[in-house]
Amino acid sequence: MVPEILPFPFGPERGDLTPQRRLDPELEPVSHGECTLEIDALLEGTTHVSGIGWRLTTPEGSGKVHRETRRYGRTLIFSELAALRGGLEEARRANCRGLRVVSPNPLLERLLLGPSPPRLRRAGRAAERLAPIVSAFDRVAFEVSPLPEAELRHAVGEALDVGLHAAAERTEHRIAVMEGIVARSREVLLERRDGGWVANGRYRVRLDPLSCECPAWTARWSRAPVAGRRAGRLPCKHLVALAVHEGITVPADLAQLGRRASS
C-alpha cells in the first residue's frame, strides 16, 4: 500500500510560514453561528465590592454560569464591562461567529459600538480596550433585559456576598458591610423543611449550632483555623434572615453570631 503523501503544512508559494488549513475535518475547531451572551453585575457602593457573572449559549445549548468577585469596582458600569470581557473571551474561545449580548444596561451598546456619552469618558476608554475582542466576531448586537435571568442574578449575588465578607475583615468596612448584609437578608425566603430551615429553596441554615450551606459562609473559610473564623467572619444573609426571624435584630448582636460557630 502506497502511503498517503500530505502537502507541506506551510505556504512556500507565498514565501512565508503561514499554516495551511488542516486536512482532517475532525481536527478543525467547531465554529458556531449565532450565540447569546447574558451578563450581569451588582456593586455595593460603600466598599466598592462587586459580583459579576455571565453565561454563554451556543446552538449546542446553554453553558454554565460563571461568577467572579471584584474587590474594587469604580461604578456599576465598570463591573458590567468586566463581566462583558469575561463573556466575550469565552465566546471567542467557543468560536462564535455572531453574538447577541443580553444586559440590563442600555449604555453598554453605546460604549462598545460608540460613540460613548461624554459623561462616561473613563468607561468609554475601558470599553475601547475590548475593541480587539469585539472585532473577532462577524457581528455583535445588544439587547436590553431589565430583569436578568434568575440563575445568573443569583450567582452574581452570591459572588457579591463572598466579596462583602472578605471586605468585613478590614475593620473600617465592618459596620457598612453588616448593614448591607441586613438589607440583603430581606430578600431571603425561609421555609420549613424536614424539621429545619431552608433559605431560598437551596441552603440549609440553622442557628444552633450555627451553620449555612451557602458559599459566603463556607467556601471562603474552609481552610481557615476555627479561631480565625470565629474572630473574622460576619453571618451570611441567610443566617441573618433566620436570626431576625428568631428575634435577633440589633446589628451589633447579629455581627457577633459568627463567634458562636463551631466550625
Side-chain angles (χ1 to χ4, degrees):
M1 178 178 179
V2 179
E4 180 183 7
I5 299 177
L6 298 179
F8 190 72
F10 300 103
E13 71 280 4
R14 293 191 301 272
D16 59 23
L17 295 179
T18 304
Q20 298 298 297
R21 193 173 181 84
R22 295 177 183 268
L23 299 181
D24 187 348
E26 294 184 357
L27 298 179
E28 289 291 332
V30 177
S31 181
H32 292 120
E34 189 76 17
C35 299
T36 298
L37 174 64
E38 301 168 89
I39 68 168
D40 192 23
L42 291 171
L43 175 74
E44 198 287 310
T46 303
T47 60
H48 296 285
V49 171
S50 62
I52 66 174
W54 65 90
R55 175 163 56 191
L56 180 68
T57 300
T58 70
E60 296 177 351
S62 296
K64 71 175 184 178
V65 172
H66 296 269
R67 66 185 182 192
E68 293 181 3
T69 299
R70 295 180 62 84
R71 185 170 176 179
Y72 299 112
R74 291 176 181 171
T75 62
L76 180 60
I77 190 69
F78 275 87
S79 299
E80 290 170 331
L81 285 171
L84 180 60
R85 173 181 287 275
L88 288 174
E89 290 176 344
E90 182 183 355
R92 184 171 59 176
R93 290 192 298 269
N95 296 302
C96 296
R97 294 196 302 269
L99 194 63
R100 182 173 65 98
V101 180
V102 181
S103 159
N105 194 335
L107 290 175
L108 280 182
E109 181 175 12
R110 292 189 62 185
L111 287 172
L112 267 295
L113 304 182
S116 60
R119 63 186 177 88
L120 296 176
R121 286 195 184 92
R122 296 176 71 181
R125 289 194 293 269
E128 288 174 1
R129 292 193 285 271
L130 297 179
I133 307 178
V134 174
S135 64
F137 304 96
D138 293 343
R139 57 195 174 277
V140 176
F142 285 81
E143 178 181 316
V144 177
S145 177
L147 296 176
E149 192 274 331
E151 184 180 359
L152 177 59
R153 173 48 64 100
H154 180 80
V156 168
E158 287 192 335
L160 175 62
D161 287 342
V162 171
L164 288 174
H165 283 272
E169 297 174 42
R170 304 191 296 278
T171 305
E172 68 271 22
H173 292 319
R174 192 172 181 84
I175 294 177
V177 170
M178 188 67 245
E179 292 174 347
I181 295 172
V182 172
R184 287 177 58 75
S185 73
R186 301 188 186 107
E187 305 170 357
V188 174
L189 175 65
L190 294 171
E191 60 178 317
R192 275 286 190 180
R193 189 182 299 175
D194 299 328
W197 290 98
V198 174
N200 289 341
R202 63 176 70 192
Y203 301 126
R204 294 190 178 276
V205 57
R206 59 186 179 186
L207 296 181
D208 187 19
L210 199 72
S211 69
C212 182
E213 296 176 345
C214 77
W217 180 251
T218 59
R220 176 172 174 78
W221 304 92
S222 60
R223 297 184 180 179
V226 173
R229 292 200 295 266
R230 288 175 176 167
R233 65 177 169 178
L234 293 175
C236 65
K237 64 183 178 183
H238 311 106
L239 284 169
V240 170
L242 182 55
V244 170
H245 180 271
E246 297 295 326
I248 304 174
T249 58
V250 179
D253 294 339
L254 292 170
Q256 295 299 315
L257 283 177
R259 297 181 184 274
R260 293 166 38 183
S262 59
S263 62

